[in-house]
Amino acid sequence: MSYAVDFGTVSTVGLESSPVADALAGLRANEARYFKNKYGHTFTVEPASEAQSTIAWVHRILEEERGLVISSPPLEATAFQVENIRMAYVFYENGLSINVMYTIDDGGKRAVGFKLSDGMDVPEELGSFKFARQKSKLAGTIRGSYFVIKNEY
C-alpha cells in the first residue's frame, strides 16, 4: 500500500525495521518537503515488495555505472516525473537513501545521489565517496554524495 509522506508530522511508517528509523523518516520527510515546495508534487512511497521495477532500475544503474551492490535491504521506493526529470528514490533499512535524477532530454543532467541518515555509518560499498554535510530541521545532519550518470537507461 502506498504512503503519502507528510513532512508536517514525521512518521516512521514503513521504516520501523531500520535501526535509525526516526532519522530515516526525517530524511524521507525532507525529500517530501522539497518536492512539494519546488514542484507541488506529493511524495508517495511504496513498500519495496510493490516497487520492484523501480528498485531494479536504480540497482542496474549502480551496478553498470560503478559496480556498486547495496547490501542493505530496501524498505521503500518511489518513482515519478516532475517537469522533464524522471526521479526514483530507494530507502534502505540501514538508513541509506539513494535517488536517481534522470533528465529525459538529451544532454540533460543525470546523476545518482546518496544520503546517509543521522547516526548511521558509511556503508562499506560507499567507502570511496566523500560525503558533504547539510543540516535539516526534519532530518538532523544529512551526509550526501553523488556521481554523474554517463550511460543511458
Side-chain angles (χ1 to χ4, degrees):
M1 187 171 115
S2 63
Y3 170 72
V5 178
D6 177 5
F7 56 87
T9 305
V10 178
S11 170
T12 59
V13 168
L15 307 174
E16 298 90 353
S17 66
S18 173
V20 291
D22 289 337
L24 184 56
L27 181 59
R28 181 178 67 181
N30 187 64
E31 300 300 325
R33 181 179 58 195
Y34 172 79
F35 282 101
K36 188 62 160 180
N37 291 342
K38 180 151 176 118
Y39 299 103
H41 173 78
T42 300
F43 196 86
T44 304
V45 293
E46 296 179 308
S49 61
E50 297 174 22
Q52 289 302 309
S53 62
T54 298
I55 294 166
W57 187 64
V58 171
H59 286 180
R60 177 177 164 227
I61 292 170
L62 293 171
E63 176 72 36
E64 291 182 14
E65 291 284 325
R66 294 294 178 100
L68 293 172
V69 176
I70 304 302
S71 60
S72 182
L75 297 177
E76 293 183 332
T78 185
F80 55 91
Q81 185 172 322
V82 287
E83 296 176 357
N84 66 336
I85 305 167
R86 181 178 175 191
M87 297 295 306
Y89 277 82
V90 181
F91 297 93
Y92 295 86
E93 190 171 58
N94 65 356
L96 173 66
S97 167
I98 296 179
N99 71 74
V100 173
M101 178 192 77
Y102 195 88
T103 303
I104 295 166
D105 302 333
D106 287 339
K109 293 179 180 179
R110 296 175 177 170
V112 173
F114 305 105
K115 290 186 179 172
L116 308 178
S117 294
D118 212 357
M120 74 171 284
D121 293 328
V122 176
E124 187 177 313
E125 56 268 34
L126 302 180
S128 65
F129 289 87
K130 294 201 181 312
F131 287 86
R133 293 180 186 275
Q134 124 187 18
K135 289 281 191 190
S136 162
K137 288 182 181 176
L138 293 170
T141 300
I142 301 170
R143 290 164 292 156
S145 191
Y146 75 98
F147 68 83
V148 174
I149 297 171
K150 295 184 176 20
N151 298 309
E152 296 204 7
Y153 298 92

